[in-house]
Amino acid sequence: MEEKKEKEIVLSGIRATGNLHIGNYFGALSKFVRMQQDDKYENLFFVADLHALTTAPDPAALHANVRSIVTEYLAAGIDPEKSTIFVQSDVPEVSELYLLLNMHVGIGELMRTASFKDKARKALGIHSDSDNIESEIIGNESTSKRVNAGLLTYPTLMAVDILIQKAQKVPVGKDQEQHLELTRRFARRFNNFYGVELFPEPYNFDFGGKPVKVPGLDGSGKMGKSEGNCIYLIDDEKTLRKKVMRAVTDQGPTEPNSEPTQPIANLFSLMELASTPDTVEHFRKAYADCSIRYGDLKKQLAEDLVALTAPIRERIQAISGDDAYIGRVLREGAEKARERAARTLSEAREVMGIRKFY
């Protein structure tokens, strides 16, 4: 009799900082939905409300954001019968292991992470790119601007999210690759220090295909909440069309077969995600022979994005009013997530010598 192969654990989380946008959908959610059909994986998707606390959000807004993201997960097609959906803070074992793992993490390695430096500069209003951020942080502690310790130890919390579930595959973007490398380092350090093989070393998971970079509407960079260049899954048709029609363009090609500028390349990238190949080819040919009208391209792109997002938006509206359903999904998800988390925490406490006398 053939032995049943253990499923690989895939884990992904998103901070509770606002609604999901089409970058989240094309880059991750649509792939998560397809991945649910593959029996090789055990999928865990969570909303990282503890991570969101590093920016001191309004409590009411934080709670609303968690609810919105859970609703949008479900509306996009993540099935709680096939995947585990939970809220980070509903697994209190995460907070305890976060404390324990921090005992094996160096302040220096945390302060050297690129994301910490960038966010610390932003928190302190520093515009210099100098790497000597440490003196700036210390010098600003007496003012109203300060860098909180949670921001510094963000990589430890991210590592615990992964390690406590013993996840092997973690889909992350380029901006999180350094944190994932730190997770591997922390796992290796803990295992070596105690002479155990408690934590597997996770690696980035690209779903077996080409990574998708969804550009924003401002002509540069990727789509992101903080950049204000997003199309949200919850956007109504009027809002979506208005955003697309305002997208940055240029004066148009002046020579046949010229290379598109970045803003136009961005629009073509969005069209390749949302439109049919024939539609993309039509507008690429028009650009190549200098007959393109950007207004027509934008109108077509807007129509295709409306067709894509309208069913999701309808499901968001239906699910958002069903408190009982949302509560049941999160309660059952927390129970599943806590089961493995509790085992892992118990194992970590044991090897660290934290044992009861009663």
Side-chain angles (χ1 to χ4, degrees):
M1 184 176 177
E2 186 178 349
E3 185 179 348
K4 188 177 180 180
K5 189 174 181 182
E6 190 174 342
K7 292 184 179 182
E8 290 186 290
I9 299 170
V10 181
L11 178 135
S12 180
I14 187 164
R15 291 177 67 220
T17 55
N19 294 105
L20 301 180
H21 51 72
I22 62 169
N24 300 126
Y25 179 78
F26 288 120
L29 284 175
S30 61
K31 297 177 180 179
F32 293 162
V33 172
R34 291 198 303 271
M35 197 167 60
Q36 291 178 139
Q37 311 309 318
D38 195 327
D39 198 45
K40 293 189 303 184
Y41 306 120
E42 179 180 350
N43 304 305
L44 294 91
F45 305 118
F46 69 96
V47 183
D49 55 341
L50 298 180
H51 280 294
L53 293 175
T54 59
T55 55
D58 173 78
L62 175 62
H63 185 73
N65 285 341
V66 172
R67 181 189 176 88
S68 294
I69 291 174
V70 171
T71 301
E72 290 163 2
Y73 267 165
L74 294 166
I78 295 182
D79 185 349
E81 298 298 321
K82 298 177 181 178
S83 301
T84 300
I85 304 171
F86 64 100
V87 177
Q88 186 184 31
S89 61
D90 283 345
V91 184
E93 291 83 0
V94 166
S95 297
E96 184 172 347
L97 189 59
Y98 171 46
L99 168 67
L100 298 179
L101 189 62
N102 262 326
M103 305 307 171
H104 293 276
V105 174
I107 292 176
E109 62 191 340
L110 293 175
M111 295 190 80
R112 286 192 293 272
T113 60
S115 63
F116 172 72
K117 290 180 180 179
D118 290 343
K119 290 176 181 177
R121 290 189 189 98
K122 185 176 181 180
L124 299 174
I126 299 171
H127 303 293
S128 168
D129 290 333
S130 170
D131 283 339
N132 188 25
I133 193 71
E134 293 89 343
S135 61
E136 296 283 356
I137 292 171
I138 295 169
N140 275 275
E141 280 302 294
S142 60
T143 73
S144 60
K145 294 181 179 181
R146 59 175 57 84
V147 179
N148 64 64
L151 190 62
L152 178 66
T153 57
Y154 186 106
T156 312
L157 183 55
M158 176 175 164
V160 169
D161 289 326
I162 298 164
L163 299 179
I164 205 165
Q165 299 294 342
K166 297 189 177 179
Q168 294 103 326
K169 294 185 174 181
V170 184
V172 297
K174 192 171 183 63
D175 57 337
Q176 293 289 323
E177 285 180 346
Q178 187 179 25
H179 288 170
L180 189 59
E181 179 56 42
L182 284 173
T183 299
R184 287 192 288 269
R185 184 192 301 176
F186 299 161
R188 191 160 53 245
R189 182 182 297 161
F190 186 98
N191 290 343
N192 290 341
F193 186 88
Y194 293 107
V196 295
E197 291 296 327
L198 178 60
F199 298 129
E201 293 185 31
Y203 58 94
N204 199 351
F205 182 39
D206 62 2
F207 309 95
K210 184 180 178 182
V212 176
K213 180 181 178 182
V214 182
L217 299 174
D218 56 354
S220 63
K222 70 173 186 176
M223 190 168 289
K225 299 174 189 175
S226 59
E227 284 77 18
N229 59 7
C230 297
I231 294 172
Y232 294 101
L233 296 178
I234 195 64
D235 282 343
D236 59 41
E237 294 184 16
K238 182 179 179 180
T239 300
L240 190 154
R241 288 192 177 96
K242 186 180 292 186
K243 285 183 176 181
V244 174
M245 295 308 293
R246 289 178 176 174
V248 174
T249 55
D250 58 20
Q251 297 301 312
T254 56
E255 296 181 5
N257 300 313
S258 56
E259 191 74 18
T261 60
Q262 189 62 54
I264 307 308
N266 286 356
L267 291 177
F268 278 126
S269 294
L270 287 171
M271 185 165 270
E272 285 174 351
L273 292 168
S275 308
T276 65
D278 288 347
T279 299
V280 177
E281 181 65 18
H282 166 77
F283 284 102
R284 285 199 178 278
K285 284 182 177 178
Y287 187 88
D289 65 17
C290 301
S291 66
I292 193 166
R293 294 164 60 94
Y294 290 148
D296 292 341
L297 182 150
K298 289 180 179 181
K299 287 177 183 177
Q300 183 64 54
L301 176 59
E303 289 304 313
D304 293 336
L305 286 170
V306 165
L308 175 82
T309 59
I312 298 174
R313 185 170 61 254
E314 289 174 7
R315 290 194 293 270
I316 290 172
Q317 292 168 345
I319 294 169
S320 64
D322 194 340
D323 291 344
Y325 176 58
I326 294 171
R328 184 172 72 254
V329 167
L330 293 181
R331 182 173 60 254
E332 293 175 356
E335 289 171 358
K336 292 177 184 177
R338 288 197 69 182
E339 186 176 349
R340 184 182 290 108
R343 287 199 304 269
T344 304
L345 176 60
S346 178
E347 291 168 342
R349 286 171 60 98
E350 176 70 21
V351 300
M352 294 177 77
I354 304 173
R355 304 162 190 163
K356 293 185 182 298
F357 289 91
Y358 55 89

